[in-house]
Amino acid sequence: MGRYHIRVATGAWPFSGSFNRVQLWLVGERGEAELELQLRPTRGQVEEFEQDIPQDLGPLQFVKLRKHHSLVDDAWFCDRITVQGPGALEEAAFPCYRWVQGEGLLTLSEGTARLSGNNTLDVFQKHREKELEERQKIYCWATWKEGLPMTIAADTIDDLPSNMRFHEQKRLYYEWTVIEGIMEMVLKYVYTLPSPWKRLEDFDQIFWGQKTALAEKVHQRWQEDELFGYQFLNGTNPMLLRRSPSLPSRLVLPSGMEELQAQLEKELQNGSLFEADFILLYGILGNVIQGEKQYLAVPLVMLKMEPSGKLLPMVIQIQPPSPSCPTPPLFLPSDPPLAWLLAKMWVRSSDSQLHELQYHLLSTHLLGEVIAVATMRCLPGLHPVFKLLIPHTRYTLDINTRARNELISEGGLFDKGWSTGGGGHIQVLRRAMAKLTYRSLCPPDDLADRGLLGIPSALYAHDALRLWEIIARYVEGIVHIFYHGDDIMRGDPELQAWCQEITEVGLCQAQDRGFPVSFQSRAQLCHFLTMCIFTCSAQHAAVNTGQFDWYAWVPNAPSSMRMPPPTTKEDITIDTVMGSLPNVWQTSLQMLATWLVSRSSLDMVPLGHHKEEYFSGPESKAVLRQFQADLDNLEKEIVARNEQLDLPYEYLKPSLIESSVTI
């Protein structure tokens, strides 16, 4: 006879406890025992029991559980079960972290990560094969729009697997935030009565309520050329700027601009000439909002990096050359102030379109969804890569499904307030998808390709590289525990199927853009896993968290423009500027949307600090502790640096990076 000490932990989420009875079985190498105890799990509690079992079960392999109900199926969120057996030096842990529903028998495997084997008599092999078979029925691919990444097959959040939905606390907080934001938006709209904008100061009428310190600084300084250039390096879209290898062919300099040409060529020779080209927007038709035509431009901006680190604009071409206008006007800092200001507004409006669609929605949200679905379809819970990645998939399917129904759907927020809405946003996404490369998702490669390495004032670049290095060390530490050589990794069928599923299925045959279809070395695997974690955490933080900071003062980044781009500089007046900017309703909507999507949730989980314990064993836990220590050290470095800056860059401060795409 042996005595077993059992702990059953229930989630701390609202309604995670259950009034239904739960029955347990212990399964070891030498036998199985049904426990006499019957639980009624309580939210946030760890219930402890001791049980005498007559036979020797041997090393424990599984815990089985069944939740009984008579009238009502009261779902139970089980965190984990641990069992201390007779003579055992350590507890056996059985991670769950999912909802238990119905009366089916659920089998939890002991938490030690295991690779797939070829032994058909291996009970763990049978368990993992059955688990994947069941998951592949639940997690199915669907095509949302042709030419875009595949998504989870769910029309609404009610169609999602229960374990992928917001927990009740998150759901209530999200929905209350929406209501609170709408109430403020309506108050602002009513407060203006609404009267048309006549001067830039009129925007102050609704610049109250929810606000951040940086949003206030943008409000005060948005017209400065220095802040305009700064945003390409460290704003909410630091992804478009690149060092110029040559003067762009579309930049047509008319006669009389020889001095400008000489300045550009000098900066080019010095390696201090940079550009931001919005050619992806070429030919996209503007939206129609409340019966009013909206307009898009395709700007090109040339900027110079001063020795001080300031990035300053030199020239703006709002539209590319065309047969009707082979020499489009060039706007310069020396132009009349309103003409130059309007040109910068057009650039910032175009930047907001590409930021939201190409770099935020596609390159973090939709890519994160592909990673999440492929992981659930191809990697069983026993797999070390599943255990590594699962904290970085939390809530992604829920928020993306909401976005497809509320934000980018027909009649959604994008249609109501953005110039690329009404179908143009889908065209932009398709074009961006066709250009999405593996290298563009990996900061060491992307920043090198864009010529942004080694620039002291490029704070995003610096922090992104540091985070990439820290995540890479963490990934390598885990991978090397379980794969002792490249040959073992190459022979892992589940891992190779996961890789192929992402590239060929989720990303629709993306191997021609550098995405792997198989892993040939541990180094290649580590690089790919680092990309996955960085994309779902740090990169999303970089392009999401600052939206309200930079977009709340709407003239700095108009979501839409209501007049065509100017073709001359001389006729631009304050009426031209105000007639181009969003109206009161659109402005209120932009403030609401950016506040909602950049606000941190109450149950935010910082990178590396998830509470779920998927791994068992001291080696894996030591690697995680080192990861957390590395992140804490980077946090201190960033805090110390930011204390010396007028505009602190905080979007990649580890404590502010959520582990997954959740908003």
PDB file of all heavy atoms in Angstrom, residues 403-419:
ATOM      1  N   ALA A 403     -11.766  41.325 -34.416  1.00  0.00           N
ATOM      2  CA  ALA A 403     -11.328  42.315 -35.402  1.00  0.00           C
ATOM      3  C   ALA A 403     -11.984  42.086 -36.752  1.00  0.00           C
ATOM      4  O   ALA A 403     -12.393  43.036 -37.428  1.00  0.00           O
ATOM      5  CB  ALA A 403      -9.804  42.264 -35.540  1.00  0.00           C
ATOM      6  N   ARG A 404     -12.094  40.825 -37.156  1.00  0.00           N
ATOM      7  CA  ARG A 404     -12.723  40.533 -38.453  1.00  0.00           C
ATOM      8  C   ARG A 404     -14.211  40.847 -38.445  1.00  0.00           C
ATOM      9  O   ARG A 404     -14.800  41.070 -39.505  1.00  0.00           O
ATOM     10  CB  ARG A 404     -12.478  39.060 -38.835  1.00  0.00           C
ATOM     11  CG  ARG A 404     -11.078  38.804 -39.354  1.00  0.00           C
ATOM     12  CD  ARG A 404     -10.931  37.417 -39.940  1.00  0.00           C
ATOM     13  NE  ARG A 404     -10.914  36.384 -38.925  1.00  0.00           N
ATOM     14  CZ  ARG A 404      -9.827  35.974 -38.283  1.00  0.00           C
ATOM     15  NH1 ARG A 404      -8.656  36.526 -38.547  1.00  0.00           N
ATOM     16  NH2 ARG A 404      -9.880  35.014 -37.381  1.00  0.00           N
ATOM     17  N   ASN A 405     -14.823  40.881 -37.276  1.00  0.00           N
ATOM     18  CA  ASN A 405     -16.253  41.174 -37.188  1.00  0.00           C
ATOM     19  C   ASN A 405     -16.554  42.634 -36.873  1.00  0.00           C
ATOM     20  O   ASN A 405     -17.641  43.116 -37.192  1.00  0.00           O
ATOM     21  CB  ASN A 405     -16.896  40.295 -36.106  1.00  0.00           C
ATOM     22  CG  ASN A 405     -17.070  38.860 -36.559  1.00  0.00           C
ATOM     23  OD1 ASN A 405     -17.335  38.605 -37.728  1.00  0.00           O
ATOM     24  ND2 ASN A 405     -16.896  37.916 -35.651  1.00  0.00           N
ATOM     25  N   GLU A 406     -15.607  43.337 -36.247  1.00  0.00           N
ATOM     26  CA  GLU A 406     -15.903  44.683 -35.765  1.00  0.00           C
ATOM     27  C   GLU A 406     -15.025  45.768 -36.381  1.00  0.00           C
ATOM     28  O   GLU A 406     -15.465  46.906 -36.510  1.00  0.00           O
ATOM     29  CB  GLU A 406     -15.728  44.729 -34.232  1.00  0.00           C
ATOM     30  CG  GLU A 406     -16.624  43.744 -33.485  1.00  0.00           C
ATOM     31  CD  GLU A 406     -16.190  43.548 -32.041  1.00  0.00           C
ATOM     32  OE1 GLU A 406     -15.317  44.319 -31.569  1.00  0.00           O
ATOM     33  OE2 GLU A 406     -16.693  42.616 -31.377  1.00  0.00           O
ATOM     34  N   LEU A 407     -13.829  45.408 -36.764  1.00  0.00           N
ATOM     35  CA  LEU A 407     -12.867  46.421 -37.195  1.00  0.00           C
ATOM     36  C   LEU A 407     -12.692  46.461 -38.709  1.00  0.00           C
ATOM     37  O   LEU A 407     -12.839  47.512 -39.336  1.00  0.00           O
ATOM     38  CB  LEU A 407     -11.515  46.166 -36.515  1.00  0.00           C
ATOM     39  CG  LEU A 407     -10.403  47.164 -36.818  1.00  0.00           C
ATOM     40  CD1 LEU A 407     -10.760  48.549 -36.312  1.00  0.00           C
ATOM     41  CD2 LEU A 407      -9.089  46.701 -36.188  1.00  0.00           C
ATOM     42  N   ILE A 408     -12.381  45.329 -39.311  1.00  0.00           N
ATOM     43  CA  ILE A 408     -12.061  45.302 -40.742  1.00  0.00           C
ATOM     44  C   ILE A 408     -13.148  44.620 -41.554  1.00  0.00           C
ATOM     45  O   ILE A 408     -12.945  44.315 -42.736  1.00  0.00           O
ATOM     46  CB  ILE A 408     -10.699  44.614 -40.977  1.00  0.00           C
ATOM     47  CG1 ILE A 408     -10.646  43.257 -40.270  1.00  0.00           C
ATOM     48  CG2 ILE A 408      -9.564  45.512 -40.516  1.00  0.00           C
ATOM     49  CD1 ILE A 408      -9.372  42.487 -40.517  1.00  0.00           C
ATOM     50  N   SER A 409     -14.297  44.408 -40.949  1.00  0.00           N
ATOM     51  CA  SER A 409     -15.426  43.821 -41.664  1.00  0.00           C
ATOM     52  C   SER A 409     -16.131  44.881 -42.503  1.00  0.00           C
ATOM     53  O   SER A 409     -15.878  46.087 -42.358  1.00  0.00           O
ATOM     54  CB  SER A 409     -16.423  43.234 -40.655  1.00  0.00           C
ATOM     55  OG  SER A 409     -16.870  44.257 -39.778  1.00  0.00           O
ATOM     56  N   GLU A 410     -17.026  44.441 -43.363  1.00  0.00           N
ATOM     57  CA  GLU A 410     -17.838  45.391 -44.125  1.00  0.00           C
ATOM     58  C   GLU A 410     -18.712  46.186 -43.148  1.00  0.00           C
ATOM     59  O   GLU A 410     -19.459  45.618 -42.357  1.00  0.00           O
ATOM     60  CB  GLU A 410     -18.712  44.647 -45.132  1.00  0.00           C
ATOM     61  CG  GLU A 410     -19.459  45.561 -46.071  1.00  0.00           C
ATOM     62  CD  GLU A 410     -20.195  44.805 -47.159  1.00  0.00           C
ATOM     63  OE1 GLU A 410     -19.893  43.606 -47.365  1.00  0.00           O
ATOM     64  OE2 GLU A 410     -21.069  45.413 -47.802  1.00  0.00           O
ATOM     65  N   GLY A 411     -18.592  47.515 -43.190  1.00  0.00           N
ATOM     66  CA  GLY A 411     -19.327  48.356 -42.260  1.00  0.00           C
ATOM     67  C   GLY A 411     -18.668  48.504 -40.912  1.00  0.00           C
ATOM     68  O   GLY A 411     -19.237  49.122 -40.004  1.00  0.00           O
ATOM     69  N   GLY A 412     -17.445  47.947 -40.753  1.00  0.00           N
ATOM     70  CA  GLY A 412     -16.736  48.032 -39.480  1.00  0.00           C
ATOM     71  C   GLY A 412     -16.051  49.372 -39.299  1.00  0.00           C
ATOM     72  O   GLY A 412     -16.224  50.313 -40.084  1.00  0.00           O
ATOM     73  N   LEU A 413     -15.234  49.473 -38.245  1.00  0.00           N
ATOM     74  CA  LEU A 413     -14.589  50.736 -37.904  1.00  0.00           C
ATOM     75  C   LEU A 413     -13.731  51.275 -39.044  1.00  0.00           C
ATOM     76  O   LEU A 413     -13.688  52.478 -39.279  1.00  0.00           O
ATOM     77  CB  LEU A 413     -13.728  50.550 -36.653  1.00  0.00           C
ATOM     78  CG  LEU A 413     -14.397  50.774 -35.295  1.00  0.00           C
ATOM     79  CD1 LEU A 413     -13.399  50.517 -34.180  1.00  0.00           C
ATOM     80  CD2 LEU A 413     -14.955  52.183 -35.181  1.00  0.00           C
ATOM     81  N   PHE A 414     -13.040  50.379 -39.740  1.00  0.00           N
ATOM     82  CA  PHE A 414     -12.175  50.855 -40.820  1.00  0.00           C
ATOM     83  C   PHE A 414     -12.998  51.495 -41.931  1.00  0.00           C
ATOM     84  O   PHE A 414     -12.611  52.522 -42.494  1.00  0.00           O
ATOM     85  CB  PHE A 414     -11.323  49.704 -41.367  1.00  0.00           C
ATOM     86  CG  PHE A 414      -9.861  50.031 -41.408  1.00  0.00           C
ATOM     87  CD1 PHE A 414      -9.087  49.954 -40.258  1.00  0.00           C
ATOM     88  CD2 PHE A 414      -9.259  50.460 -42.574  1.00  0.00           C
ATOM     89  CE1 PHE A 414      -7.741  50.283 -40.277  1.00  0.00           C
ATOM     90  CE2 PHE A 414      -7.920  50.794 -42.608  1.00  0.00           C
ATOM     91  CZ  PHE A 414      -7.150  50.699 -41.455  1.00  0.00           C
ATOM     92  N   ASP A 415     -14.126  50.897 -42.244  1.00  0.00           N
ATOM     93  CA  ASP A 415     -15.003  51.495 -43.258  1.00  0.00           C
ATOM     94  C   ASP A 415     -15.547  52.836 -42.799  1.00  0.00           C
ATOM     95  O   ASP A 415     -15.777  53.742 -43.613  1.00  0.00           O
ATOM     96  CB  ASP A 415     -16.176  50.555 -43.559  1.00  0.00           C
ATOM     97  CG  ASP A 415     -15.785  49.416 -44.489  1.00  0.00           C
ATOM     98  OD1 ASP A 415     -14.594  49.335 -44.842  1.00  0.00           O
ATOM     99  OD2 ASP A 415     -16.667  48.625 -44.865  1.00  0.00           O
ATOM    100  N   LYS A 416     -15.745  52.997 -41.500  1.00  0.00           N
ATOM    101  CA  LYS A 416     -16.363  54.217 -40.977  1.00  0.00           C
ATOM    102  C   LYS A 416     -15.397  55.385 -40.845  1.00  0.00           C
ATOM    103  O   LYS A 416     -15.829  56.540 -40.829  1.00  0.00           O
ATOM    104  CB  LYS A 416     -16.998  53.924 -39.611  1.00  0.00           C
ATOM    105  CG  LYS A 416     -18.257  53.084 -39.661  1.00  0.00           C
ATOM    106  CD  LYS A 416     -18.813  52.882 -38.264  1.00  0.00           C
ATOM    107  CE  LYS A 416     -20.214  52.294 -38.290  1.00  0.00           C
ATOM    108  NZ  LYS A 416     -20.224  50.903 -38.769  1.00  0.00           N
ATOM    109  N   GLY A 417     -14.090  55.105 -40.727  1.00  0.00           N
ATOM    110  CA  GLY A 417     -13.204  56.207 -40.391  1.00  0.00           C
ATOM    111  C   GLY A 417     -11.890  56.307 -41.135  1.00  0.00           C
ATOM    112  O   GLY A 417     -11.196  57.312 -40.990  1.00  0.00           O
ATOM    113  N   TRP A 418     -11.519  55.308 -41.939  1.00  0.00           N
ATOM    114  CA  TRP A 418     -10.195  55.321 -42.558  1.00  0.00           C
ATOM    115  C   TRP A 418     -10.302  55.439 -44.073  1.00  0.00           C
ATOM    116  O   TRP A 418     -11.189  54.861 -44.702  1.00  0.00           O
ATOM    117  CB  TRP A 418      -9.425  54.053 -42.190  1.00  0.00           C
ATOM    118  CG  TRP A 418      -8.641  54.212 -40.919  1.00  0.00           C
ATOM    119  CD1 TRP A 418      -7.302  54.401 -40.799  1.00  0.00           C
ATOM    120  CD2 TRP A 418      -9.150  54.213 -39.576  1.00  0.00           C
ATOM    121  NE1 TRP A 418      -6.937  54.528 -39.483  1.00  0.00           N
ATOM    122  CE2 TRP A 418      -8.050  54.411 -38.704  1.00  0.00           C
ATOM    123  CE3 TRP A 418     -10.430  54.071 -39.024  1.00  0.00           C
ATOM    124  CZ2 TRP A 418      -8.192  54.481 -37.322  1.00  0.00           C
ATOM    125  CZ3 TRP A 418     -10.566  54.139 -37.652  1.00  0.00           C
ATOM    126  CH2 TRP A 418      -9.463  54.340 -36.814  1.00  0.00           C
ATOM    127  N   SER A 419      -9.362  56.143 -44.656  1.00  0.00           N
ATOM    128  CA  SER A 419      -9.437  56.386 -46.102  1.00  0.00           C
ATOM    129  C   SER A 419      -9.206  55.125 -46.920  1.00  0.00           C
ATOM    130  O   SER A 419      -9.601  55.053 -48.084  1.00  0.00           O
ATOM    131  CB  SER A 419      -8.423  57.458 -46.515  1.00  0.00           C
ATOM    132  OG  SER A 419      -7.127  57.103 -46.093  1.00  0.00           O
TER     133      SER A 419
END
